[in-house]
Amino acid sequence: MSTPAAGSGVVVLGGTGGVGLETASQFAETGARVVILGRNDERGAMACDEVQRRSGSKPHFVRVDATDPDDAVRAGEASLALLRAVDVLVSATGPSEPPRLLHTIPIQNIRDRIDEVMLPPLHMMHALLPSMRAQRSGTVINVASDAAKLATPGETAIGAAMAAIVMYSKAAALEVKREGVRINMLTPSLIAGTPGAALIAGEPFSARMFEKAASLAHLGVAEPADLAAMAVYLASPAARRVTGQAISINGGISVA
């Protein structure tokens, strides 16, 4: 089987738009019970309506600021109460600002830029891994980026945060494999049709940088559906031997 078992409990952090919304929709279409986590109630309601339109099943929405450890714990507990068991956690959050050269970022802002990318997947894993270990099964998929693997001008802070996601996910995968829990990462370069793509296009420096990268995507620039499909596969029995892997989905921009 290349899809999770029907009725699986799936939590999607960042599920109100872009890759997260597409992922929530594709899981719901397999018959999964879905909880969407996000920071905005209005966007959460709209996302739930969209998932229901596509799948016929309306997910739950839980508001969370996953950079806050206490709020992440609360959201994890709320998700468990709604689903009874969490079989899959997908974290698909990203930066709120486009790539910028390091010397143009005020030094007072560097920590916040790293924390907003690095902490949410880590906090949600910490909140939900104990229940997965207790049930001796579960899958975590953290979306990072190829900035974790390739040094790129303008992605000093973002790249450091993405590399952290990849490394702590790999280490955690080793820690929980004996309990039947698997952790993998997706590392795209560009993703068309997302809020992040619009953010990049709005800045001359980042727009030029990513136009050049897009010219190398001879298989096509990745779309949210590409990442969502891989997330669904990684959560399925077909990927039962796959853990600790950072899988690039970038249309051939690089082979890192």
Side-chain angles (χ1 to χ4, degrees), residues 91-108:
S91 291
T93 56
S96 62
E97 296 185 28
R100 290 200 172 96
L101 297 171
L102 179 61
H103 70 271
T104 68
I105 305 172
I107 195 169
Q108 297 85 357

Side-chain angles (χ1 to χ4, degrees), residues 4-216:
S8 296
V10 178
V11 175
V12 182
L13 176 65
T16 60
V19 171
L21 176 55
E22 178 64 27
T23 299
S25 296
Q26 288 198 22
F27 271 107
E29 288 170 344
T30 72
R33 297 171 297 116
V34 176
V35 169
I36 290 174
L37 304 182
R39 292 180 295 180
N40 185 283
D41 288 321
E42 183 177 355
R43 291 186 63 195
M46 293 173 62
C48 288
D49 288 344
E50 172 62 15
V51 173
Q52 184 178 30
R53 183 190 67 78
R54 285 183 51 174
S55 68
S57 174
K58 190 164 187 175
H60 299 279
F61 174 73
V62 175
R63 183 192 52 76
V64 64
D65 176 1
T67 62
D68 182 325
D70 293 330
D71 212 26
V73 170
R74 178 196 59 78
E77 291 172 347
S79 299
L80 279 166
L82 289 165
L83 297 173
R84 298 183 300 281
V86 174
D87 302 295
V88 182
L89 167 65
V90 180
S91 291
T93 56
S96 62
E97 296 185 28
R100 290 200 172 96
L101 297 171
L102 179 61
H103 70 271
T104 68
I105 305 172
I107 195 169
Q108 297 85 357
N109 295 354
I110 291 174
R111 179 174 179 176
D112 288 344
R113 295 206 70 189
I114 292 174
D115 283 355
E116 74 165 351
V117 174
M118 178 184 71
L119 290 178
L122 181 61
H123 284 162
M124 289 315 306
M125 276 207 308
H126 194 284
L128 289 173
L129 277 178
S131 68
M132 291 183 176
R133 293 182 68 205
Q135 69 195 22
R136 301 194 69 80
S137 66
T139 302
V140 177
I141 298 139
N142 291 327
V143 179
S145 86
D146 276 343
K149 304 174 180 178
L150 293 170
T152 305
E155 294 190 324
T156 310
I158 293 171
M162 294 297 185
I165 292 173
V166 168
M167 189 51 65
Y168 67 59
S169 298
K170 285 176 174 283
L174 294 175
E175 293 175 357
V176 298
K177 64 180 181 177
R178 288 178 178 82
E179 287 79 32
V181 180
R182 300 183 295 107
I183 302 173
N184 291 290
M185 303 124 268
L186 303 181
T187 59
S189 290
L190 304 175
I191 313 173
T194 63
L199 196 68
I200 289 165
E203 292 280 342
F205 166 75
S206 57
R208 288 194 302 271
M209 182 173 70
F210 281 92
E211 282 174 11
K212 181 177 180 181
S215 70
L216 301 175

